Amino acid sequence: MQAELLDIRNHIAQYPPFNDMPEELLERIVAGIEVVYCRAGTQILELGQSNHWLHYVRSGAVEIYRRSGELYNRVGEGQIFGQFGLLMNKKVRFPVKAIEDSLIYKIPDEVFQYLWEQDENFADFVETEDRSRLRSAISRREKSNELMTAKVTRLISREPVSAPTTVRLQEAARIMTESGVSSLLLMDESGDTPKLTGIITDRDLRTRAVTHALASETPICEIMTEGLITISARSFIFEAMLTMLHNNVHHLPVVEGDEVRGVVALSDIVKYESQSSLFLVSNIYQQKHVKGLKKVSLDVRDSFVRMVNEDANSHMVGSAMAGIGRSFSQKLLELGEEHLGPPPVPYCYMALGSMARDEQLVVTDQDNAMILDDSFIPEQHDEYFLALAKFVSDGLAECGYTYCTGDIMATNPKWRQPLKVWKQYFTQWIDSPNGETLLNSNIFFDLDGIHGQTELAEQLKTLIADKASSSQRFLTLLARNALNRTPPLGFFRTFVLEEDGKQQKTFNLKRRGTAPLSDLIRVHALACGARSQNSFERLRDIAKTKLLMEDDASNLRDALEFISIVRIRHQALAIEEGREPDNNVRPEDLSPFERSHLKDAFQVVSNAQKFLRFRYNAGGGRNV
């Protein structure tokens, strides 16, 4: 192989999805590559134009935009673009523009299609990235995970560290070391008001002082950087990133008028972006071992706090966190199958409860189950599925999803059964309900197939929708069971608090707030044959059937959103303060606004439970 082609081959072989690719496929890629050079500002792909190339960035950087002109993604060395159009109709779906002088390798469509057909990892990479971005976006209106809408001041975590320009080299190094900063602002204090004049960084100390063996008493002004590039405190994070890239600087003072608010480092932006749910999901899919997943899981809480601080609503947060949880499960299932070999019969792995409803937060355990194909023979096949279930369950525990105390996990043989047995379960639960089966209904009637033959889960959803809506006795008993958990509101609109134990003087926002709401919404959804799982989507479907008046559905939607967001913010605050998050809130920790509107929301729940009792004739007692 020629030296130039060998260089190309060695470069692409470093990066996914090419890094694990067989030699024969790499040679096919290299043989068909065209090399193009794009100057900064060049429009590489126009919206709607024909495109028959997969693009690989050898050096430089490009930006990818949505149809609306909003920034969609930024890719650099070792990353690809143009695959979405190649998977669709050979038309450009996302315009691309070079933001730096860039060297691009163009891989022809026929090679792309051959790779897609021959290499499963390659196919998964180019398909999954598209799906995960769309899934993680949740809504085009969601701005919480984009650099485009967050102010640069969000990255400032401390007061600026500064010194006069007259300070000596050794003293400047001491100040930086003791303050734990990588840059020092230098102020001219000769006038009435100190004026920002220069900056010194760790890199400057190495390259300008240590390398040249400067004396410790050298005035810092001799090596400082002058003519500083700054950015306004009103600017967005993406503007700070572009400013750094354009000017090749790694530290950017943030100013507001004549005041210096702080310094943003390029590493701050990298860390900030790594906390997005999109980045996190992408990172999960790239891991090769459970250890890697465990390391990635340490970023889940940071991602949660970031969404909360950027005012994402509860549906966005719940969907994103459930998406992250699904991604951990899906990757563990892939790793488990790689370790154990292919499954002996088809199966479907189900998520249950809050993950299935897209209402998961950071305080959660694992609820899951397996549907096995009816060709399943326990003596021949169950050893494999038990091992797989244990591998996934143990892996989830490693990643922070604790084992279910009620043993609602696929490791329990009761919840690892053929489709025909699951159909018997649901039929019995609906036709002959009792206390135990009604508790099961609250968990298993929120289900989502997330891996394998997901159509098996869809068959169960169809069975539930058909049978539950026609069983008045089941709905009556399920409604009665839903009245067991009541909102913490007394006769005079005072909060009813726990009296004993560690949580005394608190009320539980999940047990006494969101759970009663999801319970009663589930009853109405089953009654009208809705197949949706998420509580907000169920309310939408319920309103269409007129089972609830539009105003009543809207009130429930508002109550669910407000209680959920107070719960979410409570957990985010605990994380920021270094405490373990929970669901227990003390009234005195709430603002007057929150206390007042929580009471309104709890009153909505109370009224909705009264209607539930009336609508399903569920007033004959609370227990079956």
Side-chain angles (χ1 to χ4, degrees):
M1 184 179 288
Q2 298 177 8
E4 182 182 358
L5 296 181
L6 184 61
D7 177 64
I8 294 175
R9 176 230 174 271
N10 290 341
H11 194 276
I12 66 174
Q14 299 178 64
Y15 299 96
F18 309 105
N19 53 336
D20 292 325
M21 194 168 279
E23 192 70 29
E24 178 267 326
L25 296 183
L26 288 174
E27 292 179 1
R28 182 181 287 263
I29 294 171
V30 172
I33 271 181
E34 289 191 13
V35 183
V36 296
Y37 177 75
C38 303
R39 295 190 63 84
T42 302
Q43 190 72 36
I44 301 174
L45 295 177
E46 297 276 3
L47 178 65
Q49 79 174 71
S50 296
N51 175 49
H52 298 276
W53 304 89
L54 175 69
H55 296 69
Y56 173 94
V57 182
R58 168 64 190 256
S59 62
V62 306
E63 286 184 338
I64 304 172
Y65 296 88
R66 292 194 174 101
R67 292 173 180 268
S68 63
E70 292 179 294
L71 181 65
Y72 173 66
N73 195 17
R74 183 178 289 109
V75 302
E77 181 179 2
Q79 294 180 283
I80 59 175
F81 62 91
Q83 68 269 33
F84 303 157
L86 295 180
L87 289 168
M88 300 291 287
N89 55 2
K90 307 300 186 291
K91 299 289 186 182
V92 174
R93 294 174 57 197
F94 301 96
V96 182
K97 183 178 182 180
I99 58 172
E100 296 179 9
D101 292 348
S102 301
L103 190 65
I104 307 294
Y105 294 158
K106 295 173 63 177
I107 302 170
D109 177 44
E110 55 267 26
V111 175
F112 172 85
Q113 298 297 337
Y114 183 82
L115 297 175
W116 184 78
E117 293 172 357
Q118 299 296 321
D119 192 292
E120 187 174 346
N121 289 334
F122 179 85
D124 286 344
F125 184 92
V126 296
E127 291 175 346
T128 301
E129 184 178 14
D130 193 17
R131 291 198 301 270
S132 66
R133 287 188 188 280
L134 293 174
R135 183 170 63 247
S136 300
I138 302 168
S139 166
R140 288 296 175 91
R141 294 179 300 148
E142 179 187 357
K143 304 297 183 183
S144 64
N145 286 328
E146 298 182 8
L147 297 173
M148 295 293 291
T149 57
K151 297 287 187 181
V152 70
T153 49
R154 187 176 297 282
L155 301 182
I156 299 175
S157 60
R158 60 179 301 162
E159 294 291 322
V161 178
S162 63
T165 54
T166 55
V167 75
R168 303 293 177 173
L169 179 60
Q170 185 177 29
E171 178 65 10
R174 184 192 64 79
I175 293 172
M176 293 172 65
T177 301
E178 291 183 353
S179 302
V181 294
S182 59
S183 64
L184 181 68
L185 298 176
L186 299 167
M187 314 296 291
D188 180 357
E189 298 183 345
S190 61
D192 295 334
T193 305
K195 181 181 179 181
L196 178 62
T197 303
I199 190 172
I200 192 79
T201 69
D202 281 341
R203 184 179 181 184
D204 295 333
L205 292 176
R206 294 194 305 271
T207 60
R208 301 177 187 177
V210 177
T211 301
H212 297 285
L214 296 183
S216 61
E217 292 302 308
T218 302
I220 201 69
C221 60
E222 292 187 12
I223 64 168
M224 71 181 183
T225 299
E226 300 181 83
L228 291 185
I229 306 295
T230 63
I231 193 166
S232 167
R234 296 188 299 275
S235 300
F236 295 103
I237 291 177
F238 84 93
E239 293 176 295
M241 174 182 281
L242 293 180
T243 300
M244 288 181 179
L245 293 172
H246 182 71
N247 295 281
N248 194 29
V249 296
H250 292 78
H251 294 81
L252 199 60
V254 180
V255 298
E256 190 166 18
D258 294 330
E259 179 189 359
V260 181
R261 294 283 302 277
V263 179
V264 172
L266 186 60
S267 59
D268 296 325
I269 296 179
V270 173
K271 179 181 178 182
Y272 177 83
E273 183 60 7
S274 71
Q275 294 170 356
S276 75
S277 59
L278 170 60
F279 183 95
L280 193 54
V281 167
S282 176
N283 207 3
I284 289 168
Y285 286 128
Q286 293 174 24
Q287 300 309 306
K288 302 297 185 183
H289 307 283
V290 175
K291 285 184 178 179
L293 291 174
K294 183 178 180 179
K295 184 176 180 181
V296 172
S297 71
L298 300 177
D299 295 328
V300 172
R301 290 189 173 186
D302 287 337
S303 179
F304 173 77
V305 171
R306 172 180 166 169
M307 285 186 283
V308 176
N309 286 338
E310 292 178 352
D311 295 325
N313 63 37
S314 70
H315 195 176
M316 294 175 183
V317 175
S319 295
M321 296 305 292
I324 290 169
R326 283 193 194 92
S327 300
F328 277 114
S329 299
Q330 289 162 344
K331 188 60 186 181
L332 284 165
L333 286 158
E334 291 176 9
L335 293 175
E337 290 181 12
E338 289 176 12
H339 175 67
L340 298 168
V345 297
Y347 77 101
C348 171
Y349 189 89
M350 289 193 299
L352 308 169
S354 61
M355 184 184 291
R357 295 197 308 272
D358 278 342
E359 296 169 21
Q360 194 163 52
L361 302 185
V362 290
V363 181
T364 185
D365 61 1
Q366 47 179 289
D367 294 310
N368 49 66
M370 278 185 185
I371 311 172
L372 308 173
D373 186 82
D374 283 340
S375 60
F376 170 77
I377 301 173
E379 295 77 15
Q380 296 180 18
H381 306 143
D382 197 43
E383 181 179 356
Y384 174 93
F385 289 110
L386 173 58
L388 180 61
K390 190 174 187 309
F391 180 89
V392 175
S393 189
D394 291 346
L396 287 173
E398 286 281 315
C399 295
Y401 298 85
T402 58
Y403 298 111
C404 175
T405 56
D407 205 19
I408 308 296
M409 297 181 292
T411 50
N412 183 339
K414 187 175 182 180
W415 312 130
R416 191 177 64 251
Q417 293 291 334
L419 177 63
K420 59 187 177 184
V421 174
W422 280 105
K423 288 182 176 180
Q424 292 171 4
Y425 282 169
F426 282 103
T427 298
Q428 179 185 6
W429 294 345
I430 295 171
D431 291 346
S432 306
N434 57 47
E436 179 183 352
T437 61
L438 289 170
L439 289 175
N440 288 337
S441 300
N442 284 333
I443 299 173
F444 288 93
F445 281 47
D446 300 338
L447 64 91
D448 183 33
I450 65 171
H451 184 82
Q453 303 293 318
T454 56
E455 61 270 21
L456 299 178
E458 293 304 313
Q459 290 189 46
L460 293 184
K461 289 181 183 180
T462 299
L463 182 149
I464 293 167
D466 291 344
K467 289 191 69 67
S469 60
S470 60
S471 176
Q472 186 60 42
R473 180 170 181 269
F474 171 74
L475 292 172
T476 296
L477 295 177
L478 192 65
R480 187 180 300 171
N481 201 62
L483 299 174
N484 284 338
R485 296 188 281 199
T486 57
L489 203 60
F491 284 112
F492 300 103
R493 284 175 59 86
T494 56
F495 291 119
V496 177
L497 306 178
E498 299 290 335
E499 296 181 355
D500 303 309
K502 188 171 68 171
Q503 305 301 338
Q504 63 176 331
K505 305 301 181 183
T506 69
F507 57 87
N508 189 294
L509 282 169
K510 177 183 179 181
R511 189 169 61 248
R512 304 294 295 275
T514 56
L517 267 171
S518 61
D519 287 348
L520 68 89
I521 291 169
R522 183 187 303 109
V523 176
H524 292 315
L526 292 172
C528 65
R531 291 172 58 94
S532 51
Q533 304 288 295
N534 177 262
S535 294
F536 290 103
E537 295 173 3
R538 281 172 166 171
L539 282 170
R540 177 201 62 201
D541 294 343
I542 294 165
K544 290 179 182 178
T545 67
K546 306 302 181 184
L547 189 152
L548 289 178
M549 299 297 292
E550 180 58 39
D551 285 349
D552 294 330
S554 295
N555 288 340
L556 283 173
R557 192 177 300 113
D558 291 342
L560 178 59
E561 172 61 26
F562 192 80
I563 297 171
S564 297
I565 209 64
V566 172
R567 179 185 169 206
I568 286 168
R569 288 173 180 165
H570 168 72
Q571 293 184 0
L573 180 62
I575 293 170
E576 289 182 312
E577 293 180 349
R579 296 181 285 110
E580 191 63 25
D582 59 25
N583 296 302
N584 298 288
V585 175
R586 296 187 305 173
E588 58 266 30
D589 291 337
L590 300 170
S591 69
F593 176 88
E594 289 173 321
R595 287 196 295 270
S596 174
H597 285 76
L598 268 180
K599 290 177 180 179
D600 292 337
F602 287 145
Q603 188 62 57
V604 169
V605 180
S606 180
N607 293 339
Q609 288 187 330
K610 292 175 183 176
F611 175 75
L612 191 76
R613 182 179 289 109
F614 167 78
R615 172 66 176 75
Y616 299 100
N617 191 27
R622 288 189 177 176
N623 298 304
V624 178

